[in-house]
Amino acid sequence: MDIVVRDVTMRFRRAGEEAASLKEAVIRRIRRRDRYETFTALDHVSFTVGEGEVAGIIGANGSGKSTLLKIIAGALRPTQGRVEADRDKIQLLTLGTGFDPELTGKENIYLSGALTGLSKEFLDEKYEAIVQFAGLEGFMEEKVRKYSSGMVSRLGFALATAADAPEILILDEVLSVGDLFFRKKSEKRIREMIHGGSTVLMVSHSMAVIRQNCTKAIWLEKGKLRMAGAPDRVCASYEGMRDGGTG
């Protein structure tokens, strides 16, 4: 199942210089002189991820990586350009999305699972395995607001990866979760999903993760496509630029 990104541009409008006082803000609004500026998060980005390919997106913070994933998944509509992908076949994997801090861990499994389309029967069947993988036996009746950030991440990861690998899998920094032992477990599970035949698009700040798991690397820099190709070559150029070289 291919993912084709064609000339995608994404612009956001954000408030410009803030009013110095409430009076000035009111006057601006009355006179319709509120100041806004346009921020370009993605600037004419095009690439293709072929069926069965594993593509890693790299780039500094603020380069547009997460915005791009949301557009591909259908959560955002681009200002210009289009994405060709079967969105019914896409699973976007992020950690802890939809967790309610006032509900228990168990309640959040069923709530968040339902929001991502998992049936109660499936969750009943997988519940013990999810808890065991997260290492949270004895904590599931506690409210999530009492969890550490690591516990929330582990539970989110265990829930998000409980189902079989989808045809298109999008991973947003999911291999940096938890302590060293849990990271090894999570990397193993993700590798199983990646090599299960899915078309995969993943964001990671770890060049080792990109080199070890990807067949293609895509480098975004300040919203522009800087380079795409073999992971070793793209990662080396990125590292060279970050170290002060010309890339």
Side-chain angles (χ1 to χ4, degrees):
M1 188 66 62
D2 291 357
I3 300 171
V4 181
V5 177
R6 296 188 187 276
D7 196 36
V8 166
T9 294
M10 188 71 193
R11 300 186 185 96
F12 296 101
R13 193 176 75 159
R14 62 186 182 188
E17 182 181 347
E18 292 185 1
S21 66
L22 177 60
K23 179 180 178 181
E24 181 181 347
V26 172
I27 291 173
R28 281 189 190 179
R29 182 159 299 242
I30 292 172
R31 295 177 176 174
R32 297 185 178 179
R33 292 180 181 173
D34 288 342
R35 297 179 183 178
Y36 293 94
E37 59 186 26
T38 299
F39 169 69
T40 301
L42 294 169
D43 191 1
H44 299 285
V45 173
S46 297
F47 61 86
T48 298
V49 180
E51 184 173 353
E53 265 195 311
V54 181
I57 302 179
I58 62 175
N61 290 333
S63 294
K65 302 185 299 297
S66 291
T67 298
L68 178 60
L69 294 189
K70 290 175 183 175
I71 289 173
I72 293 171
L76 289 176
R77 178 176 294 180
T79 307
Q80 179 179 326
R82 68 183 190 274
V83 172
E84 297 172 12
D86 187 345
R87 295 210 168 96
D88 290 336
K89 305 291 179 60
I90 291 177
Q91 179 181 340
L92 173 60
L93 178 52
T94 58
L95 301 180
T97 302
F99 280 5
D100 186 329
E102 294 304 318
L103 298 180
T104 66
K106 182 175 184 178
E107 289 167 337
N108 269 293
I109 283 181
Y110 283 91
L111 173 62
S112 186
L115 291 174
T116 55
L118 300 178
S119 69
K120 183 179 182 301
E121 291 74 19
F122 176 86
L123 293 169
D124 286 343
E125 179 185 347
K126 297 289 186 178
Y127 178 79
E128 293 300 332
I130 291 169
V131 175
Q132 184 177 19
F133 191 89
L136 291 176
E137 299 93 334
F139 293 95
M140 298 309 294
E141 300 302 329
E142 295 283 347
K143 291 185 177 181
V144 165
R145 63 179 168 81
K146 296 182 180 180
Y147 285 13
S148 68
S149 59
M151 293 167 72
V152 173
S153 294
R154 288 180 355 233
L155 183 59
F157 182 91
L159 174 59
T161 60
D164 293 336
E167 291 189 39
I168 300 176
L169 179 62
I170 300 179
L171 309 172
D172 192 0
E173 273 294 344
V174 301
L175 293 178
S176 59
V177 57
D179 56 25
L180 179 60
F181 175 71
F182 190 80
R183 281 202 301 274
K184 288 182 177 179
K185 283 208 308 182
S186 63
E187 287 173 7
K188 182 176 183 292
R189 176 164 285 188
I190 288 296
R191 280 196 296 271
E192 290 170 352
M193 296 180 75
I194 285 174
H195 299 298
S198 299
T199 301
V200 180
L201 192 59
M202 62 189 298
V203 166
S204 179
H205 286 288
S206 169
M207 297 303 100
V209 167
I210 299 297
R211 285 183 167 109
Q212 290 167 10
N213 294 288
C214 297
T215 58
K216 173 187 287 186
I218 298 163
W219 174 12
L220 293 180
E221 190 70 27
K222 296 180 180 178
K224 293 180 179 290
L225 178 64
R226 180 74 177 263
M227 190 176 183
D232 280 339
R233 183 169 62 87
V234 176
C235 289
S237 295
Y238 175 71
E239 289 166 334
M241 188 277 292
R242 303 301 293 174
D243 292 338
T246 60

